[in-house]
Amino acid sequence: MAGASNLPPGFHFFPSDEELIVHFLRRKASLLPCRPDIVPTLTLNLYDPWELNGKALQSGNQWYFFSHATQTRASPNGHWKPIGSDETVVSGGCSIGLKKTLIFFMGEPIEGIKTSWVMHEYHLMDGNTDCSNSSTSSSSSKWPHKKKGQSETESNNWVICRVFESSYDSQVSFHEEGTELSCLDEVFLSLDDYDEVSFAK
């Protein structure tokens, strides 16, 4: 099923950060079926980003897949380097996960050559979800519970990744300078179909 969405004609897979965590990563980590079950599981270290076509779920110029969390994100011809600060993903007033942004570099870590490949890696929050108030905390009880005997470490070992090739160097500079991106900024930066996009400095 890798690389194929099995969605009805006219439907496209363009989930938000919240939807990726709530409807996919959380259920995967809880050993529950994902519906629709269209996101494959890959070993990140086995593939360079341009090799994901036909293996990960493709939607436009983006590829999605589950993987096990790892500190060493090396691939056959390069490595993924984290940039900027982790972003908190919120749902219903609760902090439900973290979004890490990484850039792919060719070659060894010290002498690597930066490419235009970008990866958003989503993690579940350690422990319970962090809710801002008691009225929203009840929503966390609706989340799927881990199956009996499953440890917290095992649950948080899963990540879901979104990989795309950006044609804009500003995708990197925004993060390196510590500037926070809005949701609209991220949409434009993740699309290669737009040839002319300007951002206010």
Side-chain angles (χ1 to χ4, degrees):
M1 181 165 50
S5 65
N6 291 331
L7 293 175
F11 284 79
H12 300 277
F13 188 74
F14 289 111
S16 64
D17 295 346
E18 176 187 358
E19 290 167 339
L20 281 174
I21 291 180
V22 173
H23 298 292
F24 291 91
L25 181 56
R26 183 71 179 183
R27 297 189 65 86
K28 179 73 169 181
S30 302
L31 302 180
L32 297 173
C34 298
R35 298 186 178 89
D37 186 13
I38 57 176
V39 181
T41 299
L42 301 178
T43 302
L44 179 63
N45 305 85
L46 296 181
Y47 305 102
D48 294 315
W50 53 85
E51 296 177 317
L52 294 174
N53 192 30
K55 299 177 179 66
L57 169 64
Q58 182 177 1
S59 181
N61 70 321
Q62 302 180 357
W63 287 264
Y64 297 84
F65 58 93
F66 290 112
S67 188
H68 286 289
T70 176
Q71 293 295 326
T72 305
R73 301 179 182 88
S75 72
N77 292 289
H79 62 281
W80 292 97
K81 179 180 178 180
I83 61 170
S85 302
D86 296 346
E87 300 177 39
T88 302
V89 181
V90 178
S91 177
C94 298
S95 299
I96 59 174
L98 294 175
K99 174 183 175 181
K100 298 177 181 289
T101 300
L102 304 96
I103 299 294
F104 187 77
F105 284 74
M106 293 283 293
E108 298 297 326
I110 298 179
E111 301 177 351
I113 300 174
K114 183 176 65 178
T115 72
S116 58
W117 287 97
V118 181
M119 178 168 67
H120 292 159
E121 187 180 81
Y122 297 86
H123 298 248
L124 293 174
M125 297 291 288
D126 292 332
N128 297 324
T129 56
D130 180 17
C131 296
S132 58
N133 55 62
S134 57
S135 62
T136 57
S137 62
S138 60
S139 63
S140 63
S141 63
K142 299 178 182 179
W143 282 45
H145 298 285
K146 298 187 295 293
K147 286 190 175 181
K148 186 177 181 180
Q150 184 185 16
S151 66
E152 194 69 38
T153 302
E154 181 184 359
S155 173
N156 290 345
N157 191 38
W158 286 105
V159 296
I160 188 168
C161 303
R162 174 198 284 132
V163 175
F164 58 92
E165 187 174 16
S166 174
S167 59
Y168 306 106
D169 292 335
S170 55
Q171 171 78 31
V172 178
S173 61
F174 269 106
H175 288 275
E176 289 179 341
E177 294 172 4
T179 303
E180 183 178 358
L181 295 177
S182 68
C183 294
L184 186 58
D185 288 336
E186 291 189 357
V187 169
F188 282 118
L189 287 171
S190 64
L191 293 174
D192 287 335
D193 296 333
Y194 293 89
D195 293 328
E196 297 181 1
V197 178
S198 61
F199 297 90
K201 296 183 178 178

